Amino acid sequence: MVLNEELPAIRLLEPGFTIVNGLLAEHYGLGSLDPDAGPTIVMTDERGGLFEQGHFLTSGASGSDFRRVIHRGIYALNRTLCSTIPPLDPATLEEIAATAETIDPTLPLNERMQMHRESSGRCIGCHSQMDPLGLALEHFDAEGKWRDTYPDGTPIGHSFDFRGQSVRNPDELKAYIRDSDLYRLCVAEKLLGYGLHRAIRSDERCLIDEMASADNSEVSLHDLAIDAFLISLKQTEMP
């Protein structure tokens, strides 16, 4: 709908609406829809963005609470900032396993993750990037429902900044990404990669810069997609 209605790319994060059926509306707590209602547009600032979709919130939530935070954080890095976490080498995997055995599992999640991050130089490099983003989404439980505390009554929160900026909750996370130049570049890169149907070559990075030079918080996603398609046609025609 963001594409069809020619809304700016930032509305992928904050569309102001969502599309749900009756059962999903009840699950999200979006007010009264007939349980048998089919897909319906509901105007809301609480659901609808990339980080508030049930599919995303549940798909990365299987396993331990550590995994939930990490998987959601990596998704935010990869999909909205086009940043990647390097593969773990055997030595790091061994160190992670050893560290996990020394952490008290009854401590609050944010404290356990902090202890893990600070356990070695290997850990802080990656976790400083993914943990703050994943912890910012902890107000959503494993089923994607909103919550203010963990099941044991512990308040949800953390004090770990992301690249020097507070991202304590979903609103702060969306604000950081909305104002980031990396988000504009990432949108352009995703669209061009889709048009080319392959990874972007190093000599094509200038095309992404060109697409993102216009503030795509104002340019519609529809127009950006057309630009990407036309550029990809030119690139595929080159010998």
Side-chain angles (χ1 to χ4, degrees):
M1 189 167 175
V2 172
L3 185 64
N4 291 340
E5 296 296 324
E6 300 192 21
L7 301 176
I10 192 59
R11 295 288 290 276
L12 291 171
L13 299 171
E14 301 173 299
F17 61 85
T18 189
I19 302 175
V20 292
N21 60 20
L23 293 176
L24 194 55
E26 181 181 358
H27 179 80
Y28 284 157
L30 292 176
S32 56
L33 272 185
D34 188 318
D36 297 323
T40 304
I41 297 176
V42 176
M43 306 307 295
T44 175
D45 293 324
E46 298 175 2
R47 292 284 178 168
L50 291 177
F51 299 135
E52 295 147 340
Q53 293 289 305
H55 173 71
F56 154 62
L57 292 168
T58 57
S59 63
S62 60
S64 68
D65 46 9
F66 261 60
R67 288 181 180 275
R68 179 180 64 244
V69 172
I70 290 169
H71 290 167
R72 288 176 176 178
I74 289 175
Y75 177 97
L77 276 173
N78 289 347
R79 300 301 180 89
T80 63
L81 299 175
C82 286
S83 299
T84 58
I85 297 295
L88 299 178
D89 57 67
T92 301
L93 289 171
E94 184 177 336
E95 189 170 295
I96 289 172
T99 300
E101 296 177 356
T102 67
I103 298 175
D104 183 352
T106 65
L107 290 174
L109 175 61
N110 65 319
E111 292 184 25
R112 285 183 280 134
M113 299 204 78
Q114 181 177 357
M115 293 174 67
H116 177 69
R117 284 195 302 271
E118 296 175 352
S119 63
S120 79
R122 279 194 179 100
C123 293
I124 190 65
C126 295
H127 283 278
S128 65
Q129 299 303 300
M130 57 195 179
D131 284 11
L133 307 187
L135 286 167
L137 296 170
E138 276 293 277
H139 279 286
F140 298 108
D141 68 13
E143 296 180 348
K145 293 181 179 180
W146 182 267
R147 59 185 177 179
D148 293 310
T149 64
Y150 289 106
D152 64 0
T154 304
I156 292 172
H158 72 100
S159 57
F160 191 30
D161 289 348
F162 177 69
R163 300 177 182 177
Q165 186 165 326
S166 173
V167 285
R168 304 291 190 267
N169 53 55
D171 287 339
E172 289 191 1
L173 173 58
K174 289 185 290 186
Y176 176 89
I177 294 172
R178 180 191 64 219
D179 297 336
S180 172
D181 289 337
L182 288 177
Y183 176 68
R184 289 187 282 276
L185 288 166
C186 193
V187 170
E189 180 175 337
K190 297 291 186 185
L191 289 171
L192 184 57
Y194 182 81
L196 292 169
H197 199 58
R198 59 169 171 77
I200 308 298
R201 299 195 306 258
S202 58
D203 63 315
E204 294 171 329
R205 304 302 302 183
C206 59
L207 300 175
I208 295 171
D209 294 338
E210 182 181 338
M211 288 177 61
S213 61
D215 186 351
N216 63 23
S217 64
E218 299 297 333
V219 176
S220 77
L221 188 65
H222 176 271
D223 289 345
L224 276 174
I226 291 177
D227 288 346
F229 175 70
L230 293 176
I231 291 173
S232 67
L233 284 180
K234 293 178 182 178
Q235 291 303 104
T236 53
E237 290 171 357
M238 294 175 63

